[in-house]
Amino acid sequence: MDNRNPPQNSLVSVHNLTFSRGQKKIFDDISLEFERGKITAIMGPSGTGKTTLLKIIGGQLFPEKGTVTVNGRNVHHLKRDELYTLRKRMGMLFQSGALLTGMNVYDNVAFPLREHTQLPESMIRTLVLIKLEAVGLRGARDLMPNELSGGMARRVALARAIALDPMMIMYDEPFTGQDPISMGALVLLIKSLNTTLGLTSIIVSHDVQETSAIADYIYVLSEGKVVGQGTPQEIQQSSSEWVQQFMNGAADGPVHFHYPAKEYMDDLLFTEKTLFPRKRLIGGKSTTKRSRY
Amino acid sequence: MPHTNTQDTLVGLFVAAGIASLFFLALQVSNLSSFSRGNTYEITARFTNSGGLKVKSAVSAAGVKIGRVKSISFDSKTFESVVKMDIDAQYSTLPDDVTASVYTAGLLGEQYVCLDGGGSDDYLKNGSKIEITNSSLILEKALAQFFFKSAEEKKSSSDDKKGNGKK
Amino acid sequence: MIKFFNYLGATTRASFTKLGRATYFLIGILAGIGSVIVRPRLLLKQLHSVGVLSFLIITISGLFVGMVLGLQGFYILSRFDAEETLGVMVAASLVRELGPVVSALLFAGRAGSALTAEIGLMKATEQLSGMEMMAVDPIKRIISPRFLAGFLSMPLLAALFSAVGIIGGQIVGSGLLGVDVGAYWSQMQATMDFREDIINGVIKSIVFGFITSWIALFEGYDAVPTAEGVSRATTRTVVNSAFSILGLDFILTALMFGDN
């Protein structure tokens, strides 16, 4: 794997990461670089462990091999206190928003401020309103999370993620399950937060169009390997068949429509012969062992 | 966080009700109030048989509870039961020649120590021994005696009858 | 047959692993208690949802249990002409056994299952994970206050249950069945011992509060983060709490009243 980005300009570097869940290798010796102040996207089909990668970067999961450094510090060698200090500077936007259901929008955004600072309530109010204004939901401050639509919940979660003015934000599938309008709003928000606050953004997504529109650099993952990387244009013109299938959303290609199975015809005949062997002898009356279940 | 005054009040009421119940149990239901364990003095009595007497059984005088049994042990030399009792310090004028008896409250009730009689000018004090004791009435023994007696009476009366018949 | 032993071995191993996780979790909770004491507001909120919301069910159940004891006790005791000891019977059964045990079972059903569902849902909706990413320890912030609230509420609820039950017994015993009120209370006071009965009952309820809160919170925290997983965890909380309460009750009773 060639490292095209000079490491000194990276905020987050992943080196030779290997991670397995049971027998399945989620990541097989991959290396990724995330540049400061840029939007880097990780793309790939569902089930390639993109969310897992964010959890590894956030220090919630431990890799089997390899190192993850954030701002020059190895995440998995930090003591608990140091990790928590680092996390205050790392925002994360969960797929579901992960808003605390017991409190309203205002209190959710105020939550990290109240937990980590000793600011007076008047100052917290100002900060919360600034953050809510940034995501356009200042008017929704008294709503409870269950009264919000999916897109609004994610925007509130985004306001909460930037409450402590972090140096980076990790977005977990920010576009999934959104209607076109909220999707557009989110795309705009991510882009503008990146430019106005100078945030480093890591987006994990399988929405090709939206991600390509705002990402500065894209990694495409499949089966635990990096199968393509580059700017959106480079990825579009990739020679890899697999990347082409993914970017264009073709039903068949290197990734098959069918889950691996034995021959269709054999499978059908097999059932007939072996599972119901006596069915024909007795004549329609299914008294085979299996029928009891 | 949605903290309201109502919530605080409700929590306050709950805790107050709980603590009030604990006090209720302690003072109204149990015997904590009826007997202060602060000031007591200890006296000892020896019984040939203390029966079903237990530690914490009542010690009473003229029907009023004045103390508790503290310990019961067996003296292997004299084959006696040594009963130590804590008497409330406010009852400090018990004559030192009282009689200690083990009685039963009701037919099947608890056994207790009763102090009565006596007329000495000297009072019981800490470490005193009670010289005169009456042991517990053992029901089996009493019944046996009763039956034995009635059997003897029957015998003698039937003897009389026989004698009468001969005459 | 081999399959059966394999299954047995795997199940045994899995339950020990779970016990290990639960113990580790408990250590985390206890370590977090200090930070709860610094922020009593968190505790207050949980005392409300754990204690106050169980108040009604505990009071009403206590009243009825006491009334039933009054009725049953009266009919049994009247055979021996010992109705005057009804107070003793009601108070002893409530303070020693029924108060701590029944209120703990009700607590597991009312507050315990609610705790499991709440924590399990927070896990399923990534709230706990999100909190961790905000550098807030969910055990300290979410679990420990709930644990402490359960632990503190239980003795209060049990005392309430017993007290209301004794009054219920009196209502039935002397109000309906004609036992002398004075005898009801005086016999009770003469027999019930503060240390032997009341304190032991309170100790029992403290142990039950500890174990029930622990089970409820752990099952929620350990739940499979799906709707089905949470509902299963809730069921497990009630079942495991009931087993633990009744089993521990036997052990505690043997320890406390055994040598008398």
Side-chain angles (χ1 to χ4, degrees), chain C residues 162-197:
Chain C
S162 300
V164 172
I166 289 168
I167 294 168
Q170 193 231 311
I171 292 171
V172 171
S174 39
L176 296 177
L177 302 170
V179 176
D180 181 55
V181 182
Y184 185 87
W185 289 104
S186 65
Q187 292 268 0
M188 187 192 303
Q189 283 167 11
T191 315
M192 300 299 287
D193 184 60
F194 178 69
R195 219 211 67 76
E196 192 86 341
D197 295 309

Side-chain angles (χ1 to χ4, degrees), chain A residues 80 87 96 100-101 115-116, chain C residues 126 132 134-135 137 141:
Chain A
R80 193 181 165 77
R87 277 188 190 162
S96 57
L100 299 170
T101 41
E115 290 293 318
H116 294 305
Chain C
E126 296 182 305
E132 255 180 58
M134 283 189 278
D137 186 347
R141 179 65 177 70

Side-chain angles (χ1 to χ4, degrees), chain A residues 16 18 41 73 98 105 107 122 164 168 184:
Chain A
N16 308 105
T18 302
R73 316 200 63 179
V105 166
D107 288 318
S122 60
L164 288 171
M168 59 180 281

Side-chain angles (χ1 to χ4, degrees), chain C residues 55-248:
Chain C
F55 187 92
L56 201 64
I57 183 175
I58 293 281
T59 323
I60 293 175
S61 313
L63 189 68
F64 279 116
V65 168
M67 287 164 79
V68 169
L69 276 177
L71 269 178
Q72 292 280 19
F74 180 82
Y75 289 122
I76 292 170
L77 291 172
S78 61
R79 287 197 199 170
F80 306 105
D81 279 336
E83 299 95 15
E84 281 75 26
T85 54
L86 182 66
V88 181
M89 195 198 128
V90 172
S93 357
L94 277 170
V95 172
R96 287 182 172 195
E97 288 297 331
L98 292 173
V101 172
V102 177
S103 58
L105 290 174
L106 291 171
F107 181 77
R110 172 67 182 78
S113 60
L115 281 178
T116 307
E118 190 190 7
I119 303 292
L121 274 175
M122 288 184 92
K123 190 184 182 192
T125 53
E126 296 182 305
Q127 292 182 52
L128 295 181
S129 193
M131 216 174 256
E132 255 180 58
M133 283 307 298
M134 283 189 278
V136 176
D137 186 347
I139 293 198
K140 269 188 195 163
R141 179 65 177 70
I142 298 292
I143 309 283
S144 289
R146 283 165 173 75
F147 179 80
L148 199 60
F151 180 65
L152 293 177
S153 305
M154 197 61 248
L156 297 180
L157 289 171
L160 200 70
F161 187 94
S162 300
V164 172
I166 289 168
I167 294 168
Q170 193 231 311
I171 292 171
V172 171
S174 39
L176 296 177
L177 302 170
V179 176
D180 181 55
V181 182
Y184 185 87
W185 289 104
S186 65
Q187 292 268 0
M188 187 192 303
Q189 283 167 11
T191 315
M192 300 299 287
D193 184 60
F194 178 69
R195 219 211 67 76
E196 192 86 341
D197 295 309
I198 312 284
I199 294 288
N200 277 346
V202 172
I203 291 173
K204 271 188 181 183
S205 61
I206 289 175
V207 173
F208 296 158
F210 185 93
I211 204 87
T212 312
S213 311
W214 179 24
I215 289 176
L217 291 167
F218 176 70
E219 288 293 355
Y221 193 75
D222 202 51
V224 179
T226 58
E228 196 204 358
V230 174
S231 85
R232 274 168 185 247
T234 311
T235 311
R236 271 203 307 273
T237 292
V238 177
V239 173
N240 290 351
S241 297
F243 278 145
S244 313
I245 289 165
L246 296 171
L248 275 172

Side-chain angles (χ1 to χ4, degrees), chain A residues 14-80:
Chain A
V14 176
H15 283 293
N16 308 105
L17 175 75
T18 302
F19 184 85
S20 313
R21 187 156 281 164
Q23 294 295 312
K24 200 186 168 210
K25 273 203 170 167
I26 309 269
F27 301 118
D28 191 1
D29 195 32
I30 61 166
S31 297
L32 311 164
E33 298 290 336
F34 301 91
E35 254 185 279
R36 275 175 206 277
K38 294 277 168 66
I39 299 178
T40 309
I42 299 161
M43 308 196 68
S46 307
T48 42
K50 301 188 298 293
T51 306
T52 311
L53 182 66
L54 294 187
K55 287 196 167 173
I56 291 173
I57 294 174
Q60 285 187 311
L61 294 174
F62 284 79
E64 266 158 54
K65 274 185 220 142
T67 55
V68 176
T69 49
V70 176
N71 205 17
R73 316 200 63 179
N74 185 328
V75 173
H76 300 100
H77 288 177
L78 290 177
K79 291 202 190 89
R80 193 181 165 77

Side-chain angles (χ1 to χ4, degrees), chain B residues 43-60:
Chain B
I43 56 172
T44 311
R46 286 167 170 269
F47 295 93
T48 41
N49 190 329
S50 61
L53 205 63
K54 286 186 194 120
V55 173
K56 283 186 182 157
S57 292
V59 178
S60 65

